[in-house]
Amino acid sequence: MKIAGLDIGTTGCKCTVFDENGKYLGKAYRDYPVRRKVTGHEIDVSTIMDGVVEVIREMAGRYPDIGGIGITSFGETFVMTDGDGKPLHNAMLYTDPRGGDEVKQLSEALGEMRIAEITGLRPHEMYSLPKLMWMKANRPEIYARAQHVFLMEDYVVYHLTGVAQIDYSLATRTMALDIQELDWSRAMFDAAGIDVSLMSRPVPTGTPAGHLTARAAEAVGLPESVTIVSISHDQVAAAVGAGAFDGEVAVDGAGTVECLTPIYDSMPDIAEMYKGYFSVVPYAVPGKYVAYAFSYTGGALIDWCVTNLAKDEKKAAKEQGISVNELLEAEYQKEHGEEPSNLLVLPHFAGAATPYMDTGAKGAVLGLTTDTGVAELYRGCMEGVAYEMVLNARALKDSGVHFKKLHATGGGARSAVWMQMKADMLNVPIVALRTADAGTVGSAMLTGIAIGVFRDLKDAADHMVEQIHTYEPRAEMHEKYMKIYERYEKVYDAVRPLV
């Protein structure tokens, strides 16, 4: 019997299949269009369901004995539907600017700290509830017709099973879940003027929703006996897939977005989390929580550097049969050894995430001279992303975080240079994992537990989480980086008033 993880992203979805021993077998991917305009960032969610059906059907053709499919998705984005789950409007992505006035209304009604105590979130317009308030005020005819409000995980689960349920971790991204009671907050919905009965039922991460409906089974080419599992918000699935289950281990998600995910063995200090806009999210292990400390531009900044500045180097790398990343790292090593660059790169090229949550922030590169080359700029970008994670780790230190090592996932985990740099800066060992796609692995792990393939998370991790290499911190390099970091942590305050 095979197990599958379905990962729903903002630009595409993929279905990855593993055997009963956790061995990767294959995956299918489909992208879908995102509409962005001056007044908002939107997606037609019907295209998501089309993509979901296509990727499951493709994998069903290759592996007809799939026994369970776990669903994980990106957060915040919601859609109102009719009783059959048909979307009534294009959905707003978290980047959509609408909802700002509604956040102020909620904050005036309940107080920002009270909202944080209830939901684990400092109020912000990225979350679903203020955007839902905007829809009710500005599209009342749509709100009047709505029978359901879905985020993407429960939207897909509903279409596959007819069951409206959402796991706790994704439900928190609405800014409406009571993280103490693990149920929808009546106080939040009353203040928002939104009917709570429109929402799906909150359930623990990894809860089976049921079997495929006859209609869904025919559409995807699998028997009705297949179990569909509500997994989680994608960052929680990635933490599970990284094999991080207690406060001793945090996760470094080195993808397009750089995300540090620490685990708390009990409820963290909400007042401390509030200061840095850090989320408090119920974890897959009951009684434990995670937080998200992130930068919008992790791998995205590296890609920007390569795409815009390293055109000649890309050609040279192709001729040598290596990646441009390897070439630039080697060029820097040849010229400067392992010495830090002379640059300070503020990686806010898409705005500043935690601990600022400042969408108007801009990036900056300080320290340029006529001798500065592409390899040094590339190195500076890598350092800037890592310094930002140091800043976030320090902002979290009084919240109860106590991780002693990091498990690294994502494309960035393949760079030995970057992994060693982060270990040196953060002064903790970093373990690089085999998989670059921990979210899909985590989804499959929880699905395997739900259908009886694995006994528990430890058993699943023994089968599916493979460590490649551990990068130990070096005291002398840590000292060098920290001298530069003392200047780095002043850059945001210096640059922000100018841009």
Side-chain angles (χ1 to χ4, degrees), residues 3 14 19 40 50 74 95 125 139 161 164 167 171 192 201 286 337 343 349 358 371 415 426 449 479:
I3 51 178
K14 61 178 174 285
D19 69 15
D50 292 341
F74 62 100
T95 53
E125 67 243 32
R139 303 287 187 270
T161 67
D167 95 287
R201 179 173 62 94
L343 303 177
F349 284 47
D358 179 3
D371 292 328
S415 169
L426 290 160
I449 294 168
E479 184 176 348

Side-chain angles (χ1 to χ4, degrees), residues 271-443:
E272 288 297 326
M273 305 297 275
Y274 173 89
K275 293 176 184 178
Y277 287 92
F278 297 116
S279 306
V280 179
V281 183
Y283 193 38
V285 181
K288 298 184 187 294
Y289 301 83
V290 297
Y292 305 144
F294 63 102
S295 173
Y296 292 127
T297 48
L301 182 61
I302 307 305
D303 289 343
W304 170 85
C305 182
V306 167
T307 300
N308 293 284
L309 305 177
K311 293 180 172 60
D312 291 342
E313 288 77 8
K314 287 176 74 173
K315 293 178 183 177
K318 186 175 181 180
E319 291 172 358
Q320 295 177 36
I322 61 175
S323 72
V324 65
N325 309 78
E326 292 173 298
L327 183 142
L328 289 167
E329 290 172 1
E331 284 190 358
Y332 185 89
Q333 174 85 16
K334 182 179 179 181
E335 186 71 22
H336 305 283
E338 295 201 46
E339 290 299 304
S341 76
N342 294 315
L343 303 177
L344 290 173
V345 178
L346 189 67
H348 299 166
F349 284 47
T354 56
Y356 308 108
M357 293 312 294
D358 179 3
T359 55
K362 300 292 188 296
V365 182
L366 306 181
L368 292 168
T369 72
T370 54
D371 292 328
T372 303
V374 175
E376 191 173 355
L377 276 163
Y378 181 85
R379 172 79 177 207
C381 288
M382 295 173 74
E383 290 172 351
V385 171
Y387 284 133
E388 193 77 351
M389 287 300 100
V390 174
L391 186 144
N392 272 278
R394 292 193 172 191
L396 281 164
K397 65 182 176 60
D398 292 329
S399 68
V401 68
H402 63 274
F403 62 88
K404 291 181 171 59
K405 65 177 178 177
L406 288 171
H407 285 186
T409 68
R414 291 193 289 266
S415 169
V417 171
W418 211 4
M419 291 296 98
Q420 186 62 60
M421 180 191 299
K422 291 177 181 180
D424 291 337
M425 283 194 193
L426 290 160
N427 205 30
V428 294
I430 297 186
V431 180
L433 303 179
R434 174 73 63 188
T435 177
D437 190 4
T440 298
V441 170
S443 181

Side-chain angles (χ1 to χ4, degrees), residues 141-222:
E141 72 287 354
I142 294 176
Y143 182 83
R145 293 172 55 200
Q147 297 295 307
H148 297 282
V149 173
F150 292 120
L151 275 68
M152 295 306 100
E153 171 205 278
D154 50 323
Y155 171 73
V156 171
V157 167
Y158 183 78
H159 276 272
L160 294 177
T161 67
V163 175
Q165 68 176 39
I166 182 172
D167 95 287
Y168 297 151
S169 69
L170 189 62
T172 63
R173 307 311 290 173
T174 62
M175 203 175 83
L177 187 81
D178 186 321
I179 59 168
Q180 302 281 356
E181 301 297 328
L182 296 177
D183 200 357
W184 297 120
S185 167
R186 298 287 174 169
M188 292 300 299
F189 280 95
D190 288 347
I194 300 297
D195 182 1
V196 69
S197 69
L198 296 172
M199 310 302 292
S200 300
R201 179 173 62 94
V203 297
T205 294
T207 297
H211 301 295
L212 289 172
T213 65
R215 181 177 180 180
E218 182 179 3
V220 301
L222 286 169

